[in-house]
């Protein structure tokens, strides 16, 4: 059971947030977007978080394909089914098929990953599990990413780690029946 109401009415969140929640649900093709419904109850944080999250998810310097690798790995490490349900779908639309998703869940040593994918997943593991990236892994990651992408990687992994913790703590219901 959700700890914060995961549905929202016009009265609960106000007219603008209500519209954003409905548009978000339409965007993910679900009757409700429980994350938006819950977060919109804190309007100031919701409005601060939306553009930040949107930049990382849609307009970042990392490719959308690579961003999904990071997000899926974070969701797996944090055992966040809500995050995984959302991003398994989105990742498929960005070229991360079920086979590659399985390798992401297996980890950086999975057979069939490219060297770049291995380094990205290893850096994600270190960032999430030890709260920093080792010098060796950072040097390897730096051979593939420029400075802006390196900064973005940190924010992306951190953002989705925070979201996973928030979604797990709030116990949001899944948006899709599967």
């Amino acid at each position: 059971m959700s700890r914060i109401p995961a549905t929202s009415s016009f009265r609960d969140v106000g007219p603008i947030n209500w519209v954003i929640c409905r548009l978000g649900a339409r965007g993910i093709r679900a009757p409700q977007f429980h994350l938006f419904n819950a977060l919109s109850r804190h309007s100031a944080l919701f409005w601060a978080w939306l553009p930040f999250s949107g930049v990382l998810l849609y307009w970042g310097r990392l490719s959308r394909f690579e961003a999904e690798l990071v997000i899926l790995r974070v969701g797996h490490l944090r055992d966040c089914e809500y995050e995984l349900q959302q991003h398994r779908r989105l990742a498929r639309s960005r070229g991360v098929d079920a086979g590659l998703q399985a390798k992401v869940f297996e980890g950086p040593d999975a057979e069939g990953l490219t060297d770049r994918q291995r380094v990205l997943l290893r850096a994600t593991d270190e960032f999430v599990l030890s709260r920093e990236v080792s010098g060796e892994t950072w040097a390897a990651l730096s051979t593939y990413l420029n400075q802006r992408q390196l900064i973005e990687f940190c924010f992306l992994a951190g953002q989705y780690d925070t979201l996973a913790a928030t979604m797990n703590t709030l116990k949001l219901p899944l948006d899709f029946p599967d």
Side-chain angles (χ1 to χ4, degrees):
M1 174 120 191
S2 182
R3 292 178 170 169
I4 298 290
T7 58
S8 59
S9 70
F10 188 84
R11 177 176 281 168
D12 294 329
V13 299
I16 296 171
N17 288 355
W18 184 84
V19 168
I20 291 169
C21 290
R22 294 306 158 272
L23 290 173
R26 181 178 290 169
I28 65 168
R29 296 184 176 101
Q32 296 282 326
F33 196 168
H34 294 112
L35 176 64
F36 275 27
N37 292 341
L39 297 184
S40 68
R41 291 173 177 273
H42 191 312
S43 201
L45 285 178
F46 185 58
W47 277 90
W49 170 77
L50 272 175
F52 176 72
S53 182
V55 166
L56 289 172
L57 191 57
Y58 297 106
W59 302 292
R61 302 283 181 165
L62 289 173
S63 72
R64 301 306 81 212
F65 175 88
E66 288 181 330
E68 289 303 324
L69 298 180
V70 171
I71 294 165
L72 288 170
R73 187 67 184 158
V74 171
H76 173 75
L77 293 171
R78 291 299 183 209
D79 195 27
C80 183
E81 190 55 37
Y82 189 99
E83 192 163 84
L84 289 171
Q85 187 186 64
Q86 291 291 330
H87 285 277
R88 282 186 194 112
R89 287 173 164 72
L90 188 53
R92 281 192 304 266
S93 75
R94 292 176 168 183
V96 184
D97 64 23
L100 182 52
Q101 287 186 33
K103 291 173 188 172
V104 168
F105 301 144
E106 188 177 331
D109 296 323
E111 291 289 326
L113 293 172
T114 66
D115 288 341
R116 184 178 177 120
Q117 292 165 348
R118 285 183 199 289
V119 169
L120 199 59
L121 295 180
R122 184 162 286 110
T124 302
D125 285 6
E126 290 179 14
F127 186 94
V128 170
L129 299 175
S130 67
R131 309 310 293 159
E132 67 175 329
V133 175
S134 70
E136 180 182 337
T137 301
W138 186 262
L141 192 61
S142 297
T143 65
Y144 296 110
L145 304 181
N146 64 37
Q147 287 182 349
R148 287 182 178 175
Q149 290 170 318
L150 290 164
I151 293 166
E152 184 176 316
F153 163 80
C154 294
F155 274 103
L156 182 70
Q159 147 82 353
Y160 280 90
D161 191 23
T162 298
L163 275 176
T166 301
M167 292 181 275
N168 284 343
T169 300
L170 295 179
K171 301 200 178 304
L172 296 179
L174 299 178
D175 292 328
F176 302 96
D178 63 321

